[in-house]
Amino acid sequence: MLHNHHLKIFSGRAHPQLAEEIADYLALPMGRLTLGNFPDGEVFVRIEEDVRGRDVFLVQPTCPPVNENLMELLLMLDSFRRASAARITVVLPYYGYARQDRKDVGRVPISAKLVANLLTSAGANRILCCDLHAAQIQGFFDIPVDHLLAAPVFNEYLRGMGFPQSELVIVSPDEGRIKQAIKHQKVLGGGLAIVDKRRASATETNQANMIGDSVRGKIAILFDDMITTAGSMVGAVNIVRANGAREVYVCATHPILCGNAVDRLREANINQILVTNSVPVPPAKQLPNLKILSIARLLGEAIRRIHCNESVSRLFE
Amino acid sequence: MLHNHHLKIFSGRAHPQLAEEIADYLALPMGRLTLGNFPDGEVFVRIEEDVRGRDVFLVQPTCPPVNENLMELLLMLDSFRRASAARITVVLPYYGYARQDRKDVGRVPISAKLVANLLTSAGANRILCCDLHAAQIQGFFDIPVDHLLAAPVFNEYLRGMGFPQSELVIVSPDEGRIKQAIKHQKVLGGGLAIVDKRRASATETNQANMIGDSVRGKIAILFDDMITTAGSMVGAVNIVRANGAREVYVCATHPILCGNAVDRLREANINQILVTNSVPVPPAKQLPNLKILSIARLLGEAIRRIHCNESVSRLFE
Amino acid sequence: MLHNHHLKIFSGRAHPQLAEEIADYLALPMGRLTLGNFPDGEVFVRIEEDVRGRDVFLVQPTCPPVNENLMELLLMLDSFRRASAARITVVLPYYGYARQDRKDVGRVPISAKLVANLLTSAGANRILCCDLHAAQIQGFFDIPVDHLLAAPVFNEYLRGMGFPQSELVIVSPDEGRIKQAIKHQKVLGGGLAIVDKRRASATETNQANMIGDSVRGKIAILFDDMITTAGSMVGAVNIVRANGAREVYVCATHPILCGNAVDRLREANINQILVTNSVPVPPAKQLPNLKILSIARLLGEAIRRIHCNESVSRLFE
Amino acid sequence: MLHNHHLKIFSGRAHPQLAEEIADYLALPMGRLTLGNFPDGEVFVRIEEDVRGRDVFLVQPTCPPVNENLMELLLMLDSFRRASAARITVVLPYYGYARQDRKDVGRVPISAKLVANLLTSAGANRILCCDLHAAQIQGFFDIPVDHLLAAPVFNEYLRGMGFPQSELVIVSPDEGRIKQAIKHQKVLGGGLAIVDKRRASATETNQANMIGDSVRGKIAILFDDMITTAGSMVGAVNIVRANGAREVYVCATHPILCGNAVDRLREANINQILVTNSVPVPPAKQLPNLKILSIARLLGEAIRRIHCNESVSRLFE
Amino acid sequence: MLHNHHLKIFSGRAHPQLAEEIADYLALPMGRLTLGNFPDGEVFVRIEEDVRGRDVFLVQPTCPPVNENLMELLLMLDSFRRASAARITVVLPYYGYARQDRKDVGRVPISAKLVANLLTSAGANRILCCDLHAAQIQGFFDIPVDHLLAAPVFNEYLRGMGFPQSELVIVSPDEGRIKQAIKHQKVLGGGLAIVDKRRASATETNQANMIGDSVRGKIAILFDDMITTAGSMVGAVNIVRANGAREVYVCATHPILCGNAVDRLREANINQILVTNSVPVPPAKQLPNLKILSIARLLGEAIRRIHCNESVSRLFE
Amino acid sequence: MLHNHHLKIFSGRAHPQLAEEIADYLALPMGRLTLGNFPDGEVFVRIEEDVRGRDVFLVQPTCPPVNENLMELLLMLDSFRRASAARITVVLPYYGYARQDRKDVGRVPISAKLVANLLTSAGANRILCCDLHAAQIQGFFDIPVDHLLAAPVFNEYLRGMGFPQSELVIVSPDEGRIKQAIKHQKVLGGGLAIVDKRRASATETNQANMIGDSVRGKIAILFDDMITTAGSMVGAVNIVRANGAREVYVCATHPILCGNAVDRLREANINQILVTNSVPVPPAKQLPNLKILSIARLLGEAIRRIHCNESVSRLFE
């Protein structure tokens, strides 16, 4: 085998803009690929350049429409494997089905594991992902997984806003996100509080159920990994406001924004909503107070290091 | 293990009506299963009754929306496997992605094989399918595949119409379906002809390019495995009419009917269109001259035989 | 194959007493098995009765000495597979290496996944386990996993103590166990509080860092999944006492009790320590205020249901 | 791993002459390998030079004696895998058992899939094959398959004969090979006809059952993928002659020539029989009107491109 | 699944007579199966009766022609797997390629392991074999292997001959079979001796190189696992005779008898040659002093016990 | 992928001294790795330098404590695989559980095969081992195995002692090691004898049961692959002495020396005990007449050749 294992970046149809930003960071042209649907909806794939022996990265967040994006990714994998790519890394800035990661009741799937099995079965050699809903999903794979964290991107932006530490309170919007809140608090300083969702219902948001440091008169920053319908987050925001917070910032890596999320967020009293471009946010959903931070440099640098056999974990030291 | 390997039929959301007809034939209640979508489009599955040690059959044609139906099927498989079903047979009256069964050009997927790998990886123990686009797809699996043929259902109906053999001509709508036409001609008698599509374009259908027995003044019956956009089939019908056929019947197992298939078929000069219920045909697409023949008895009897360890191939002797 | 798939219970050397209690519940004799070590420490296994076609359950918590117990289990699996058991269920009341379930830093193993792969590779057909450190470990397997919860055993015992709800506070010993505490609080009633470990160090336990409902003058019940060195739990107990709790109860499913755990617990001001017999507690470690609740009935009933193809999840409804 | 992944060509005993022609094209010496049979018929293999880390190509058509050639190939694969070759490509100019590619009746093997599984299981990393009986066999593999077509070799030779297009008719010897005939007709021009084998039996070859363009007074060229007993092909030739063809040429990639094929071909009225050297034709079977076209350049160029990570599909553009 | 897992015995073409004897022992009719070769030598298989859900045993020693017999067996396995047999046990009274069980030199196959992999890959669920050349071959499989010993059959016959123990010497024909000789000597009594082949060449057999008890004037019984060309065994016999043995008996489980084995044995001075019917001995090879002991009862009883889930190892207690 | 596939040597805790000697031979620094145990005995692993794309060799004989050493090795494999090493070779100078390599009785494990499966499942790409108890263990793997022989190391040392061939007798301590004795005798010359253990018991060692050349007045050299409790070897030495040997040398590759081996060897009348450093011998066990020969050069040279794709088998020509 001759050694022209050049790096190539290809994008599915889920988020070509992110793929292009990554390619720009790496100073590479986008790999040429034709994707489409037959009249009956079946996906077709044709790779339009040589990929034999190349080190291929496929960028495809499996955001909504999740089943379309996932099947397209699987068909891309089959194409690249049969076209003799030397190595295929799936770049999943957002991992669809991640929340179904265990059986809490009987007779349900572990969808996140199924997805892992499907990706491996279709030919993935490695996974590069970002802010998994549960870190244990790494263990759903036996192929190597590089797990990036967007936290430094948020922290860097927030530090740039110059909030005095004494006025900050980091807030976990529910008990499931306390660890994430603590990690941010360690970097950003300030107090720590938890919204106690047991007693707060969506309809009675004026109740003041919080535990931890008081947010009264403070700048509250809430962190979650994703915003889907925004019901849960907006409920938390309302409680934080009812407890007297002066300013409220909301941070979430993955802006899925489905259902009436946009309406809820528009009506909520939020100073700024910070998200990343791990999934596309169509212009119609880009509220004036929505700030999209790019993770293209983070992904691009990780890809470069994977390709060059340099340490990825050192990115976070 | 105690032995209550009772037969259970479950249906995905692709075609519950067919599943119910099958269950009726078997005098069984439908298995209880909750299927739905989360607000972000992810599918959820919950099996609502005990399935440990049961002999489970999942009915799900992977017709459009193919990616939705396929992912739902894969998630059902994961659920039943983890719920300890004794055996899971996937009943695929229609096999989506079947036409992408080889690489005719470089750097494309073999989608039909990918689907086979995904089904096996997700937990299928057996496959029951019907009129595969290519019989070689059986070999894409290492698990047992029972391949049913709808031909007897068509032939029985057509014989019931009492056409005199001397007036019949069986027509292959293109050179790829000649073998199928010959098989029907052996049973139904009459002549045999082929539409020569090389010279006939969709826009010049008045040309009379046919080879084989003449259809002039005869009853022509065209057979294909599926109708998708109907462009190809209606083109063939027009040629057959241009060659002087008196009556034209069109038979196809799988009525996908996508794009403007219904309009095309409505405007074509066809006496009757015979299809099966391998995939659902919504009422809006049920043209007055569309006759849907049920394969529920065929599938039901095959399921009974599989469950009881009786011969399925004997169904076709 | 004739059908004498009788249920058989076998025990490794990790916890034969539990296996016997399970067998008693099922009114079965223990399966006969010789286990030992060669002079060089290699384990030998010989099954001393017919197991062809039997439904075999191997009881072996992988508690310390974890590597000995795990290798013995793997060798038992190889023996039973080669001896043609019809099905082998590994009963793991305690899952060793469960805490290493993800990569928090670079270049470490995901030991809990490795263990899952080893068990499957050695021949396990199913897993029956109890109070996994993270529920996602179920997804480390593609074979069926039944995950039992000891919570009802604790709740039943605690309700029997007749504490008035108004005097109870359920306490999470750190932020990682809040969900577990909430679940118990929903059943037992009373208040909810969290020990805030960020500011409490092992040496400064007199500080009063708690958030949530006050424990002053109340009966505090702390829940964790396991006690290893007891350093963390005793630290939490001290904080709870420093905050004025009147009585303190500590509950943990798995009493590993290694290092100087027993000394720490003896010196701590705890009214009662409740654990289960998921792992053996040698007499020397059985403090006067240690109460061991048996999960033998729970495991035995689950085994009976698995063998008889009855629902296990219904055990928790 | 140091990088001396040099290309090496090795040959089994099925067709060393072809392997040598390929090696000549690549200007490489043949790899040294000892092959033989023990007195009881078991095959022995010993590789006589270093192959660690080499890019190895094994040339072995699985022509008759098919079981001997296939087992020898499997033992070669095991040897090279255990000898640490970097990559092993099986070069199968002819794929034995290819015709048994589906189950047309119950309870038969899918032999072509079994062969695919055996090759993969024994250590093949890639397949390079030529004119598969059914293109779907590519999908029997999950490893990459390069599928070469001998059609350009035939077309180039035939064009060199200078037949006027107006006198040519491309003939499919039966309804199963129409697609192949159409492809040649697109390149070579002329008419198109099909021998209608339904009515023509081996004993009544004087009947004139053909459909399509008339061959009367024309030069007929028949195409098939292989000639085994020649019964079917000679039957078609006789019909073509009975229909008045002036000259008859027969083309087939794989000259298996078993049973009394040679006698049949000698007695048939054929101007020239064109085949390739995909399988060896012993001198005794080389009829005066048999022309063997070499595919060594085609295979050699494909091997060079595979080794150098260049496009193979571009060979056919 | 209904439970008609009846036992069925099928035979390949290697040794139908043995299969029939086994079926007789079990009072079962032979399973109906059509086996043949296409004109090009490819094997065809068709199972002629229902086998769904049956417990199938395939009898096929892989004796010469080994590659034909092995490929036929693999094709049978593929057929039965695809025909939905409940379980397939391969009965290999003789395991071809067993002597190539390790790499003594570099770059050779481990053919016996390749065969194990091929059998498993083709669908074998269990193996039943007899007197493997090396017992370690059991470990080449991960499916269950039952390993029968023909020693009791030989010992029973020899005891029936009434040799006084004081006149017997058990002889190992070379240093590799000493363990086998010792096992027989433990049962039959008498002395023990070893032919020292280092100094004895095929051409100088009159040399008296033996170690251990003297055979002078004694009845020598030589044991080996197989006789192939008989060169080695006849060399040992000659040495034993040269050392003054009064009578010489030769015992070997597998009478392969290839090359000029029969001539060598005819000319050697042997009182009786005892073998089993693990492989067929054609009449032309049945020397007057060749006694064939049947292992059909042994195999039949093992099959019965496997089917009924009874202990097979107890057969040898 | 960039190509910095540098060679790296890492050591587990079983035998770091040997790993360092190997690294010295290769003029490489030892790879940095943290290994330890949590308080409950679970092993932790952290690789302390980049290993992406490196060619990694893990040195870990699985000597006692075998289960600790083996589990540590498996966890190291998981770590290196997930850390994206290009290739992982397990260097097993001693293969624990090797003696349990077949089923001599029913219902026991084939532990040596289980170990092979565990290593492969955990991520080993190749094995480098030394003097396996049975050469067939190579076939327990489908990954490449390089099997080194320590015989040349012993022979070179012994030749250096200048024994006259006429005074030497090579002795097999039992009938299972005759082949090994013969191999040494071919190189060293002298006579050959076997200790006949059937009649010699541990308590009656004064009996003179030997077969073959006489040792009276000679220098006897006994060879075995390992010394565990030394009971068997010392028994053989006593017999050899009782037969009048003048000097006795004992050679064994693997000095496990467990139980009261050291006491037995001290009390036995042995001139010198030669072993290798395949496993560590703690100073307390280093008897004055124990000579440890290093195999570090042998292992180091094999590693160099594997890394550079040079022939390893040529090491023994």
Side-chain angles (χ1 to χ4, degrees), chain A residues 101-307:
Chain A
D101 58 0
R102 92 208 93 151
K103 287 175 68 173
D104 272 346
V105 294
R107 308 186 213 107
V108 297
I110 303 184
S111 309
K113 178 60 187 301
L114 174 71
V115 167
N117 288 349
L118 298 181
L119 290 170
T120 303
S121 161
N125 298 119
R126 319 178 42 89
I127 302 291
L128 175 60
C129 57
C130 181
D131 278 4
L132 287 170
H133 186 67
Q136 285 86 353
I137 290 174
Q138 295 168 70
F140 288 3
F141 292 90
D142 287 320
I143 53 175
V145 176
D146 284 297
H147 185 202
L148 303 180
L149 304 175
V153 175
F154 286 108
N155 291 340
E156 184 187 354
Y157 182 86
L158 289 165
R159 270 196 299 242
M161 297 186 75
F163 300 133
Q165 283 207 18
S166 59
E167 298 192 20
L168 268 188
V169 181
I170 308 302
V171 179
S172 170
D174 63 35
E175 67 281 344
R177 288 289 140 187
I178 296 176
K179 284 190 178 178
Q180 187 184 357
I182 290 172
K183 280 189 191 165
H184 283 283
Q185 191 258 358
K186 280 183 182 157
V187 175
L188 298 172
L192 183 76
I194 305 161
V195 175
D196 184 354
K197 304 190 71 172
R198 283 170 307 141
R199 302 165 201 174
S201 67
T203 55
E204 310 173 75
T205 52
N206 55 346
Q207 289 181 319
N209 295 298
M210 292 190 66
I211 53 184
D213 294 312
S214 169
V215 295
R216 186 155 308 274
K218 297 287 182 61
I219 298 162
I221 309 181
L222 290 83
F223 285 94
D224 209 340
D225 65 330
M226 61 198 293
I227 301 178
T228 51
T229 63
S232 159
M233 180 57 93
V234 167
V237 164
N238 290 347
I239 292 171
V240 170
R241 284 287 182 193
N243 276 272
R246 190 177 91 217
E247 296 182 30
V248 175
Y249 294 82
V250 160
C251 303
T253 308
H254 308 299
I256 301 300
L257 305 181
C258 58
N260 44 9
V262 173
D263 291 340
R264 279 192 183 122
L265 289 170
R266 183 185 290 115
E267 290 159 19
N269 192 349
I270 303 172
N271 292 69
Q272 198 168 32
I273 305 162
L274 303 177
V275 297
T276 78
N277 60 347
S278 69
V279 301
V281 179
K285 292 187 175 177
Q286 295 188 7
L287 293 169
N289 64 340
L290 182 79
K291 171 69 184 174
I292 301 176
L293 306 174
S294 178
I295 56 170
R297 284 177 59 93
L298 183 67
L299 288 165
E301 181 59 20
I303 288 170
R304 193 191 64 72
R305 285 167 180 252
I306 290 168
H307 177 68

Side-chain angles (χ1 to χ4, degrees), chain E residues 90-105:
Chain E
V90 172
V91 181
L92 278 171
Y94 172 72
Y95 190 107
Y97 283 107
R99 278 162 304 167
Q100 301 180 57
D101 59 359
R102 91 208 92 150
K103 287 175 68 175
D104 272 346
V105 294

Side-chain angles (χ1 to χ4, degrees), chain B residues 1-39:
Chain B
M1 291 105 43
L2 286 198
H3 293 106
N4 55 345
H5 294 333
H6 298 308
L7 193 163
K8 294 244 179 189
I9 308 281
F10 290 85
S11 178
R13 288 180 290 176
H15 199 357
Q17 191 180 340
L18 174 61
E20 277 161 31
E21 278 190 53
I22 293 169
D24 280 353
Y25 174 82
L26 294 165
L28 284 175
M30 283 299 297
R32 282 177 293 118
L33 182 71
T34 299
L35 292 164
N37 292 81
F38 290 106

Side-chain angles (χ1 to χ4, degrees), chain B residues 143-248:
Chain B
I143 54 174
V145 175
D146 284 298
H147 184 202
L148 303 180
L149 305 174
V153 174
F154 285 107
N155 291 340
E156 184 188 352
Y157 182 85
L158 289 165
R159 271 196 299 241
M161 297 186 77
F163 300 134
Q165 283 207 18
S166 59
E167 298 192 19
L168 268 189
V169 181
I170 307 302
V171 179
S172 170
D174 63 35
E175 68 281 345
R177 287 289 141 187
I178 295 176
K179 284 190 178 177
Q180 188 183 358
I182 290 173
K183 280 188 189 164
H184 282 284
Q185 191 258 0
K186 279 184 183 157
V187 175
L188 298 172
L192 183 76
I194 305 161
V195 175
D196 184 353
K197 304 191 69 171
R198 283 171 306 142
R199 303 166 201 174
S201 68
T203 55
E204 309 173 77
T205 53
N206 55 347
Q207 290 181 318
N209 295 297
M210 292 190 66
I211 53 184
D213 293 312
S214 168
V215 295
R216 186 156 308 275
K218 297 287 178 66
I219 299 163
I221 310 182
L222 291 82
F223 285 94
D224 209 340
D225 66 330
M226 60 197 294
I227 300 177
T228 51
T229 63
S232 159
M233 179 58 93
V234 166
V237 164
N238 290 347
I239 292 172
V240 170
R241 283 289 182 191
N243 276 273
R246 190 177 90 216
E247 295 182 31
V248 175

Side-chain angles (χ1 to χ4, degrees), chain D residues 256-298:
Chain D
I256 300 299
L257 304 181
C258 57
N260 42 9
V262 173
D263 291 340
R264 279 192 181 123
L265 290 170
R266 183 183 292 116
E267 289 159 18
N269 192 350
I270 304 173
N271 292 69
Q272 198 169 34
I273 305 161
L274 302 177
V275 297
T276 78
N277 59 348
S278 69
V279 300
V281 180
K285 293 188 174 178
Q286 295 188 8
L287 292 168
N289 64 339
L290 181 80
K291 172 71 185 173
I292 302 176
L293 306 175
S294 178
I295 57 171
R297 282 177 60 94
L298 183 67

Side-chain angles (χ1 to χ4, degrees), chain D:
Chain D
M1 291 107 36
L2 287 198
H3 292 105
N4 54 344
H5 294 333
H6 299 307
L7 194 164
K8 293 242 180 191
I9 308 281
F10 290 86
S11 178
R13 288 180 289 174
H15 200 355
Q17 190 181 342
L18 174 60
E20 276 160 33
E21 280 190 51
I22 293 170
D24 280 353
Y25 174 82
L26 293 164
L28 285 175
M30 284 298 297
R32 283 177 293 117
L33 181 70
T34 299
L35 292 165
N37 291 84
F38 291 105
D40 57 2
E42 295 182 358
V43 174
F44 64 77
V45 180
R46 177 156 185 184
I47 309 166
E48 302 288 0
E49 59 183 290
D50 285 5
V51 295
R52 280 181 190 264
R54 306 311 197 280
D55 190 19
V56 170
F57 290 77
L58 305 182
V59 180
Q60 179 90 328
T62 48
C63 51
V66 56
N67 296 333
E68 295 296 328
N69 286 334
L70 183 51
M71 277 303 302
E72 181 175 286
L73 175 56
L74 296 171
L75 286 160
M76 287 163 68
L77 280 166
D78 192 74
S79 310
F80 280 90
R81 172 167 57 171
R82 292 186 189 276
S84 305
R87 187 171 71 170
I88 312 172
T89 301
V90 172
V91 182
L92 278 171
Y94 172 69
Y95 189 107
Y97 283 107
R99 279 162 303 166
Q100 301 180 58
D101 59 0
R102 89 208 94 150
K103 287 175 68 173
D104 272 347
V105 294
R107 308 186 213 106
V108 296
I110 303 184
S111 309
K113 178 60 186 304
L114 174 72
V115 168
N117 288 349
L118 298 182
L119 291 170
T120 304
S121 161
N125 298 118
R126 324 177 38 90
I127 303 291
L128 175 60
C129 55
C130 180
D131 277 3
L132 287 170
H133 185 68
Q136 284 87 352
I137 290 173
Q138 293 168 72
F140 288 4
F141 292 90
D142 287 320
I143 54 174
V145 176
D146 285 298
H147 185 200
L148 303 180
L149 304 175
V153 175
F154 286 107
N155 291 340
E156 184 187 354
Y157 182 86
L158 289 165
R159 270 197 298 244
M161 297 185 75
F163 300 132
Q165 283 208 18
S166 59
E167 299 191 20
L168 267 190
V169 181
I170 307 301
V171 179
S172 171
D174 62 35
E175 67 282 343
R177 288 288 141 187
I178 295 176
K179 285 190 175 177
Q180 188 184 355
I182 290 173
K183 280 188 188 164
H184 282 284
Q185 190 260 357
K186 279 184 181 156
V187 175
L188 298 172
L192 184 76
I194 305 161
V195 175
D196 184 353
K197 304 191 70 170
R198 283 171 306 142
R199 302 166 201 172
S201 66
T203 54
E204 311 174 75
T205 52
N206 55 345
Q207 289 182 322
N209 295 297
M210 292 190 66
I211 53 184
D213 293 313
S214 168
V215 294
R216 186 156 307 275
K218 297 288 181 63
I219 298 163
I221 309 181
L222 291 84
F223 285 95
D224 208 340
D225 65 330
M226 61 199 293
I227 300 179
T228 50
T229 63
S232 160
M233 180 57 94
V234 167
V237 165
N238 290 347
I239 293 172
V240 171
R241 284 286 182 191
N243 276 271
R246 189 178 89 219
E247 295 182 28
V248 175
Y249 294 83
V250 160
C251 304
T253 308
H254 309 299
I256 300 299
L257 304 181
C258 57
N260 42 9
V262 173
D263 291 340
R264 279 192 181 123
L265 290 170
R266 183 183 292 116
E267 289 159 18
N269 192 350
I270 304 173
N271 292 69
Q272 198 169 34
I273 305 161
L274 302 177
V275 297
T276 78
N277 59 348
S278 69
V279 300
V281 180
K285 293 188 174 178
Q286 295 188 8
L287 292 168
N289 64 339
L290 181 80
K291 172 71 185 173
I292 302 176
L293 306 175
S294 178
I295 57 171
R297 282 177 60 94
L298 183 67
L299 289 164
E301 181 58 21
I303 288 170
R304 194 192 64 73
R305 285 167 179 250
I306 290 168
H307 177 68
C308 297
N309 285 325
E310 296 177 12
S311 172
V312 170
S313 56
R314 203 157 293 161
L315 262 176
F316 299 99
E317 287 173 1

